[in-house]
Amino acid sequence: MVDSNGNNLVFLLCTPRSGSSLATVMLQNHGKMFATQEMWFLMSLRDLQAPQRRAYGGTGIISQFYNGVLPQAAFEDACRAFALEAYNGLLQSSEGAELVIDKSPRYYYMLEFLDALFPLSKRIWLIRNPFAVLASNKKVGRQRGDAFDFAEALRQPALEMKTVDLTVGLFRYYDYFAKDHPYAHRLHYERLVTDPRGQLAETCRFLGLEYEEGMERYGDRMHTAKSELYFSMGVGDPFVADHKAPNRDSVDLWKEVLDKREIELYGRALGARLFRDLGYAEELAEAEKLTGARFGDEPDAELLALRTRQLTEATGCVWTPGYALKAEPLAGGPAAARQPAAKETDASRAETVRLQMRVRALEQRLQLGAMEQRRLKAKLDATSRKINRLKSLIPFGNRLSSLASAYLGGGGKK
């Protein structure tokens, strides 16, 4: 069972189109693992603090409750309680399973929330050649009748999630997994499809399990209850079911799917250092040879800043720049997750919570005051523009106004 620290919970993290569907369909073949195509539900819990407009109204009230009344620790405890019921309910529905794998690629936008809820969960980072990820987006888009033009997407001033995935999302994971950590494991897509047995065995060891023979041959188990449930969602990679086992067909496909302009634009957007750090120096050299360009080490900072600002504004998340997984697990093991410090009394904890609530209430008042100020200023500006338009519609309006003022000022005398 999953406990309140996240023991027996595994997050499979990567940007969309990195091969997570393939990795998950093999992992869920293990008798002690439960996984579905994708879950995403933790994002819905996090989004409670950024409520959307609803038919019954009350958006502002709901926002004030979650952000001004309910203490953050209580909010996290409530989210954790819901998630535990969901995860353990899934385990109970799968005979023999002990671990839950939550594969949700866009969890990159709330990594801080994951760590707060389940600090001792295991995290697997599935890494794939970024050019191949871009090519997969393009290929799947064509298959679904939703063509993806990366060059056009880069020019779009509005929020475009695939572009965010390919840039901001990748760098969020890059920072998060920057250092080795006992609760983190790197799994490269190219190694997985080349040596599935060896890579799955290594991943199982990281999870504290033994490799089970034939896990990688997912086609042999297509009609089992677990596999039928997995494929019933109809999300993820639509091409996984076309094969019975992993293969290398898509490893170099990016050279055929992407044109030179797309390769160059993406290479410059990410910068050469990221490719080298992730182990794709050869692919970087091939890309530079194909395009005749040389990519600088640094990413496009302006592009990353724009897409980061757009996503944080849209989601209401506050990010820690360069946020990384904690360097050390919680002291004292699983039981330490929600335990107070030894010298902290119940009274002091209660007083701390009260002070936090007062600060949040004051912040809300200041925010509402600023919003009201902006509203009144906008109204004043609109009124001034209306008056100016009316003046412009009256011939010699300003001259007549001056004459009338002079006439009245002189007691009505000419």
Side-chain angles (χ1 to χ4, degrees):
M1 302 292 281
V2 178
D3 67 20
S4 60
N5 285 278
N7 288 290
N8 293 332
L9 174 61
V10 183
F11 290 113
L12 179 57
L13 303 172
C14 62
T15 54
R17 309 261 66 86
S18 294
S20 57
S21 294
L22 177 64
T24 309
V25 76
M26 292 188 287
L27 289 172
Q28 63 95 30
N29 278 334
H30 195 290
K32 294 187 177 181
M33 298 189 204
F34 176 89
T36 62
Q37 280 269 14
E38 295 182 9
M39 294 189 187
W40 290 54
F41 78 95
L42 288 185
M43 291 188 282
S44 296
L45 296 180
R46 173 60 185 82
D47 289 347
L48 290 171
Q49 292 183 315
Q52 304 300 310
R53 185 179 300 277
R54 294 172 170 84
Y56 52 78
T59 302
I61 296 172
I62 297 172
S63 178
Q64 287 180 7
F65 172 76
Y66 282 118
N67 298 288
V69 177
L70 185 67
Q72 181 64 21
F75 174 74
E76 291 172 359
D77 287 343
C79 291
R80 184 182 302 106
F82 180 93
L84 283 173
E85 289 294 323
Y87 288 134
N88 287 321
L90 292 171
L91 281 178
Q92 290 171 2
S93 71
S94 181
E95 184 178 355
E98 298 175 0
L99 303 181
V100 174
I101 299 176
D102 185 343
K103 183 265 270 195
S104 302
R106 283 185 178 147
Y107 275 176
Y108 64 75
Y109 93 85
M110 53 172 212
L111 294 170
E112 294 87 342
F113 187 59
L114 295 186
D115 286 357
L117 259 57
F118 298 110
L120 299 185
S121 59
K122 296 289 183 69
R123 290 85 154 180
I124 298 172
W125 184 22
L126 180 60
I127 306 170
R128 187 178 185 182
N129 172 16
F131 290 124
V133 175
L134 175 58
S136 181
N137 272 278
K138 189 173 180 180
K139 180 182 176 183
V140 172
R142 288 174 180 171
Q143 195 269 345
R144 292 176 173 171
D146 181 23
F148 177 62
D149 185 333
F150 182 65
E152 178 62 28
L154 283 179
R155 290 194 294 267
Q156 290 293 331
L159 176 67
E160 206 287 322
M161 279 307 303
K162 289 181 182 178
T163 306
V164 175
D165 294 337
L166 291 162
T167 54
V168 176
L170 179 56
F171 275 98
R172 283 280 285 173
Y173 286 136
Y174 177 68
D175 292 334
Y176 186 68
F177 289 100
K179 297 180 180 179
D180 291 337
H181 191 283
Y183 289 88
H185 175 67
R186 290 190 175 198
L187 176 63
H188 281 81
Y189 173 85
E190 293 79 11
R191 298 175 192 171
L192 179 63
V193 298
T194 302
D195 178 24
R197 181 190 176 101
Q199 292 299 305
L200 288 173
E202 186 177 329
T203 302
C204 286
R205 283 194 294 273
F206 166 69
L207 299 177
L209 299 173
E210 294 293 329
Y211 164 81
E212 288 187 355
E213 189 65 37
M215 287 175 60
E216 66 276 13
R217 296 193 298 273
Y218 57 88
D220 296 344
R221 310 188 189 190
M222 291 288 282
H223 300 296
T224 63
K226 288 176 71 175
S227 288
E228 286 181 351
L229 175 63
Y230 177 86
F231 284 104
S232 68
M233 289 189 69
V235 296
D237 190 339
F239 302 108
V240 168
D242 293 343
H243 304 277
K244 294 185 177 182
N247 60 79
R248 287 183 50 85
D249 291 353
S250 61
V251 170
D252 295 317
L253 197 61
W254 62 275
K255 302 172 194 175
E256 302 173 19
V257 174
L258 302 180
D259 60 40
K260 292 181 180 180
R261 185 182 182 213
E262 290 171 321
I263 295 173
E264 181 176 353
L265 285 172
Y266 197 34
R268 294 190 185 282
L270 297 183
R273 179 180 293 113
L274 179 136
F275 285 91
R276 292 194 296 267
D277 288 351
L278 296 185
Y280 296 106
E282 291 184 9
E283 289 78 2
L284 172 67
E286 287 185 88
E288 291 182 332
K289 184 177 179 180
L290 284 170
T291 60
R294 188 166 185 81
F295 311 139
D297 277 352
E298 301 304 320
D300 186 333
E302 184 177 348
L303 171 65
L304 291 175
L306 170 63
R307 299 308 185 192
T308 298
R309 184 175 68 253
Q310 289 177 329
L311 185 60
T312 53
E313 289 176 352
T315 61
C317 283
V318 177
W319 289 355
T320 304
Y323 182 75
L325 183 59
K326 294 180 179 65
E328 297 292 336
L330 292 174
R338 297 294 299 155
Q339 294 298 318
K343 296 182 180 180
E344 189 178 22
T345 65
D346 290 341
S348 65
R349 291 198 303 275
E351 179 62 20
T352 299
V353 170
R354 285 194 291 270
L355 288 174
Q356 289 174 340
M357 292 179 68
R358 289 182 62 185
V359 169
R360 294 179 76 184
L362 289 172
E363 289 175 343
Q364 282 288 309
R365 290 183 185 179
L366 288 172
Q367 184 178 3
L368 291 173
M371 290 172 60
E372 179 66 10
Q373 186 180 36
R374 289 194 295 270
R375 187 187 70 80
L376 291 174
K377 184 178 185 303
K379 186 176 181 180
L380 177 61
D381 291 342
T383 302
S384 298
R385 288 194 296 270
K386 185 176 181 180
I387 291 173
N388 290 333
R389 284 198 300 270
L390 289 173
K391 284 183 177 181
S392 67
L393 294 174
I394 301 174
F396 311 109
N398 291 330
R399 176 61 176 163
L400 290 173
S401 177
S402 300
L403 291 173
S405 296
Y407 176 78
L408 293 173
K413 298 179 180 179
K414 294 183 179 178

